[in-house]
Amino acid sequence: MTHSFIPPTSQPSTSPAPAVSHVEALLASYPDFPQPGILFRDLNPVFADAAAFRAIINDLADQHRGQFDAVAGIEARGFLLAAAVGYAANAAVLAVRKGGKLPGTVLTEEYDLEYGSARLELEVGQLPAGTRVLILDDVLATGGTIAATTRLIERAGYSLTGVGVVLELTDLHGRERLGSASVHAIMSI
């Protein structure tokens, strides 16, 4: 099966433009992927552009600077963001994994996706109780994945300080599922 592709609007950039400009220029879209009726927003072209990736990491780190001790990245693209922001901010990094991929004692949360359901896990005891954690992911859609992650962070005894995403799909109302969590989206569509 082949899928239509809506290409990015411009070529990779080397200018120090704001993160939102990079996302607008490089975001690709795939209609009917992974199933009919879904418009998949692909951030991989954004991540593949060095200037765009640097702008995104700087934006996410700057928006929350001084407010977190650790960043939690949600599998899989959230790992890219969390590792880079953790490095930039000299902060610890937590990996929130899909179910069944972590050893030892784990906390588990079930959640619904816009086209299915799944579960996430977090290893317990990695950081001291009360550690301030910033959650990072690529896209906020229906909010199920991030809401499950907020529950994991809180159940682990950490303090949620905010959520950062590159792209928010506002018509899916995912922010509503996150309660009072402070959410920063670089771009909303």
Side-chain angles (χ1 to χ4, degrees):
M1 172 188 275
T2 60
H3 300 280
S4 299
F5 167 64
I6 301 169
T9 57
S10 73
Q11 296 299 313
S13 168
T14 56
S15 67
V20 67
S21 297
H22 288 290
V23 177
E24 287 173 342
L26 297 169
L27 181 67
S29 298
Y30 291 88
D32 298 320
F33 181 83
Q35 66 186 35
I38 302 291
L39 178 60
F40 185 82
R41 305 296 184 148
D42 186 12
L43 287 166
N44 284 328
V46 181
F47 295 157
D49 183 283
F53 189 67
R54 179 181 299 276
I56 286 167
I57 297 310
N58 288 341
D59 184 293
L60 292 170
D62 290 346
Q63 283 295 319
H64 303 277
R65 191 159 311 279
Q67 300 172 14
F68 61 94
D69 307 305
V71 286
I74 303 171
E75 191 168 339
R77 287 174 296 272
F79 291 170
L80 302 171
L81 300 170
V85 170
Y87 177 80
N90 196 31
V93 177
L94 296 172
V96 178
R97 301 289 316 262
K98 293 176 183 173
K101 294 190 176 185
L102 290 174
T105 304
V106 298
L107 299 172
T108 301
E109 281 289 334
E110 302 282 332
Y111 67 101
D112 293 324
L113 296 165
E114 54 271 32
Y115 44 84
S117 63
R119 73 176 202 259
L120 291 174
E121 295 179 342
L122 177 68
E123 284 183 82
V124 297
Q126 296 179 82
L127 301 170
T131 298
R132 302 174 305 158
V133 177
L134 169 66
I135 296 172
L136 296 177
D137 204 7
D138 61 336
V139 177
L140 171 56
T142 64
T145 306
I146 295 175
T149 302
T150 64
R151 292 189 300 271
L152 285 172
I153 295 303
E154 291 167 351
R155 287 179 52 211
Y158 308 138
S159 173
L160 176 65
T161 61
V163 174
V165 297
V166 177
L167 181 64
E168 179 179 6
L169 306 176
T170 58
D171 61 333
L172 297 176
H173 308 287
R175 194 179 285 246
E176 295 172 10
R177 295 183 70 179
L178 304 181
S180 63
S182 171
V183 179
H184 168 66
I186 292 173
M187 182 175 149
S188 297
I189 54 175

